[in-house]
Amino acid sequence: AATTAAAPLKLVGGTLALNAELTAKGGFAMAGGTVSGAGALTVPGALAWSGGTIGGTGLLTTLGATTLTQPYGGTLVLKRPWEMAGPVTWSSGHLQFDAAVHVQSGVAFESPPSGTYYVAGSGTLAVDGVVRKSGTASSQQLGVPVVLGTGGTLDIQKGSFNLSRPFANTGTLNVAGAASLQVSGLSFTNAATGVITGAGTLITPASGLTSSG
């Protein structure tokens, strides 16, 4: 049966096996271990993820503020689909997305760190909200296919950003004057609704830019 945890949950090792839906109403702090199982995991409060693997096949839904932090250059591994329904801040460390990730409308997935970090994996990133690189003149890379929906925005404010897998834009791509974006994946398509703006540097892939916009 579905379970609601009113008190904050903390996982530092071992396995949290979800055979039914779990709602972590008091928030969830994960510093290690593994989440598994087919049950959904819904976090209305804050999610502080600093270690371990969030796996299984059930849906992860985050409604509160989420922070992704791996201060030792390690990797946070996601193996279940993730609905970002609240703000997400990628503060440090690498990410591995092996499932579909969706940034909902009105939600920001922000990368402000000063280090060089990347997202890799076999998953995808669909954006109906905002993916933003802010902070310092550092370098980040998205190594999963990215699709910007008609209301989605990729906003590169500072530093350099690399999209190393196919990229499709039906929303808004903004590269500010102090920033650069390289699309090095196999394809870069810009639909009729796609907008490309900003005074920064945009480097297209060897295959070129296919634009209907």
Side-chain angles (χ1 to χ4, degrees):
T3 302
T4 297
L9 295 180
K10 186 173 184 179
L11 182 66
V12 297
T15 299
L16 174 62
L18 301 179
N19 297 317
E21 181 179 3
L22 171 64
T23 300
K25 190 174 181 180
F28 183 31
M30 183 168 177
T34 301
V35 174
S36 67
L41 174 60
T42 302
V43 187
L47 170 62
W49 186 11
S50 60
T53 298
I54 298 183
T57 57
L59 181 65
L60 169 65
T61 304
T62 52
L63 298 151
T66 295
T67 55
L68 309 176
T69 307
Q70 229 302 340
Y72 305 110
T75 302
L76 303 177
V77 179
L78 176 79
K79 292 185 175 292
R80 65 169 54 209
W82 184 3
E83 283 287 331
M84 295 182 180
V88 178
T89 302
W90 175 21
S91 296
S92 63
H94 306 301
L95 307 177
Q96 181 172 324
F97 289 166
D98 288 332
V101 177
H102 178 216
V103 183
Q104 293 187 2
S105 177
V107 173
F109 175 25
E110 184 146 2
S111 173
S114 58
T116 299
Y117 303 115
Y118 61 79
V119 177
S122 58
T124 57
L125 179 63
V127 183
D128 288 309
V130 179
V131 171
R132 177 180 296 115
K133 185 191 178 306
S134 56
T136 64
S138 57
S139 174
Q140 273 85 54
Q141 174 176 302
L142 277 180
V144 295
V146 177
V147 176
L148 290 186
T150 53
T153 300
L154 177 60
D155 183 19
I156 312 302
Q157 295 183 347
K158 292 185 178 180
S160 62
F161 205 76
N162 182 22
L163 299 174
S164 61
R165 298 289 301 278
F167 173 52
N169 178 33
T170 62
T172 300
L173 169 61
N174 178 63
V175 185
S180 67
L181 172 66
Q182 179 176 7
V183 182
S184 60
L186 291 177
S187 63
F188 178 7
T189 57
N190 191 63
T193 56
V195 175
I196 299 175
T197 186
T201 302
L202 175 62
I203 304 170
T204 59
S207 59
L209 165 64
T210 302
S211 181
S212 303

